[in-house]
């Protein structure tokens, strides 16, 4: 799938939501997901991705063909690498979620990093960072948005959870979307000559007496961000994900 938008209301499989951007491994459209009121999220609105620095010229062309006009980079400054020349038609917005958490957060919750157990304390204690993320989406120019970090699983996973929950996507669909990153990233660990991280993540979750699915459903059951985020930004995110094409 190259990113062509389909009609709002169309259900899409995991395979159909996957985008082929050469150089990246973990790219998918957040469209086609069911909401609590029976609608579907709009395709061609928001894409989640891994490290866009790896895009080839062909991959960047695919990104542009997908209608992307805003890139929201969630990485810290030390992670930035030279990009292919960014077209004038694409805005780049930096929202460094790890740095914005601050040292106190890392001292208290850093052991949970890499697992969905970190999402609840991040939402509880890093509201300014979450507000900046939501504002970046809410105030983006017309066109598709891509949100990315390094692997597209943890920081991007938190961002996707927040945005989809604001659009009142069914918790099961949000969970399924998060879990799709694990198989997508297996080639990356081989490429980097590193062990698959999933075993270590599973141990942290098991020590907490839960699973990735259980941790995500617990976060979503207590999701209260609409109560403290600016109402106008929440409405703008919902409009972007739910309005008809």
């Amino acid at each position: 799938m190259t990113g062509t938008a389909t009609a709002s209301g169309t259900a899409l499989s995991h395979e159909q939501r996957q985008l082929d951007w050469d150089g990246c491994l973990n790219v998918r459209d957040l469209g086609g997901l069911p909401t609590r009121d029976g609608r579907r999220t709009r395709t061609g609105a928001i894409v989640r991705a891994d490290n866009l620095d790896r895009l080839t010229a062909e991959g960047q062309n695919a990104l542009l063909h997908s209608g992307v006009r805003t890139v929201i980079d969630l990485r810290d400054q030390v992670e930035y690498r030279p990009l292919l020349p960014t077209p004038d038609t694409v805005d780049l917005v930096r929202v460094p979620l790890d740095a914005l958490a601050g040292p106190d957060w890392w001292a208290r919750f850093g052991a949970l990093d890499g697992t969905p157990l970190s999402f609840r304390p991040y939402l509880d204690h890093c509201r300014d960072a979450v507000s900046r993320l939501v504002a970046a989406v809410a105030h983006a120019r017309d066109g598709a948005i891509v949100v990315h970090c390094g692997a597209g699983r943890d920081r991007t996973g938190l961002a996707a959870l927040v945005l989809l929950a604001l659009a009142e996507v069914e918790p099961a669909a949000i969970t399924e979307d998060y879990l799709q990153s694990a198989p997508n990233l297996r080639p990356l660990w081989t490429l980097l000559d590193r062990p698959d991280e999933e075993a270590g993540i599973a141990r942290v979750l098991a020590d907490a007496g839960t699973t990735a699915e259980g941790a995500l459903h617990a976060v979503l059951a207590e999701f209260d961000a609409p109560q403290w985020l600016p109402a106008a930004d929440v409405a703008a995110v919902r409009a972007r994900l739910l309005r008809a094409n």
Side-chain angles (χ1 to χ4, degrees), residues 11-215:
L12 299 176
S13 68
H14 290 310
E15 292 75 16
Q16 289 174 309
R17 292 196 301 112
Q18 296 282 97
L19 303 183
D20 184 11
W21 292 0
D22 190 49
C24 286
L25 297 169
N26 193 24
V27 186
R28 56 191 177 277
D29 197 309
L30 293 182
L33 299 175
T35 65
R36 295 177 186 268
D37 63 1
R39 289 186 284 177
R40 296 271 172 180
T41 52
R42 187 170 69 92
T43 59
I46 301 178
V47 174
R48 58 177 295 168
D50 52 316
N51 189 351
L52 298 185
D53 297 358
R54 291 192 294 262
L55 283 175
T56 64
E58 180 181 351
Q60 189 173 80
N61 285 335
L63 178 150
L64 295 174
H65 181 69
S66 298
V68 170
R69 294 296 176 265
T70 302
V71 172
I72 300 175
D73 188 340
L74 305 179
R75 298 173 300 166
D76 289 355
Q77 185 173 359
V78 295
E79 299 176 77
Y80 300 160
R81 297 291 184 271
L83 293 164
L84 291 170
T86 303
D88 293 338
T89 56
V90 177
D91 294 335
L92 176 61
V93 182
R94 309 279 195 186
V95 185
L97 292 186
D98 282 355
L100 290 171
D104 291 343
W105 188 92
W106 283 99
R108 294 179 62 186
F109 305 109
L112 304 177
D113 185 43
T115 81
L117 291 170
S118 67
F119 290 177
R120 178 74 264 169
Y122 200 95
L123 288 167
D124 285 343
H125 300 286
C126 306
R127 292 185 173 183
D128 178 66
V130 175
S131 295
R132 285 180 58 173
L133 163 68
V134 171
V137 174
H139 299 286
R141 70 160 87 179
D142 288 343
I145 297 169
V146 58
V147 181
H148 83 98
C149 56
R153 181 192 61 197
D154 302 318
R155 288 165 288 187
T156 302
L158 173 64
L161 178 144
V162 168
L163 298 173
L164 293 174
L166 291 178
E168 298 187 354
V169 170
E170 290 281 1
I174 298 174
T175 299
E176 289 173 8
D177 176 71
Y178 172 89
L179 295 174
Q180 189 59 36
S181 289
N184 287 351
L185 291 174
R186 285 177 188 137
L188 177 63
W189 313 131
T190 301
L191 181 68
L192 298 177
D193 195 24
R194 287 167 46 185
D196 192 319
E197 294 184 355
E198 291 305 307
I201 292 170
R203 284 194 296 271
V204 174
L205 290 164
D207 288 344
T210 190
T211 62
E213 296 94 325

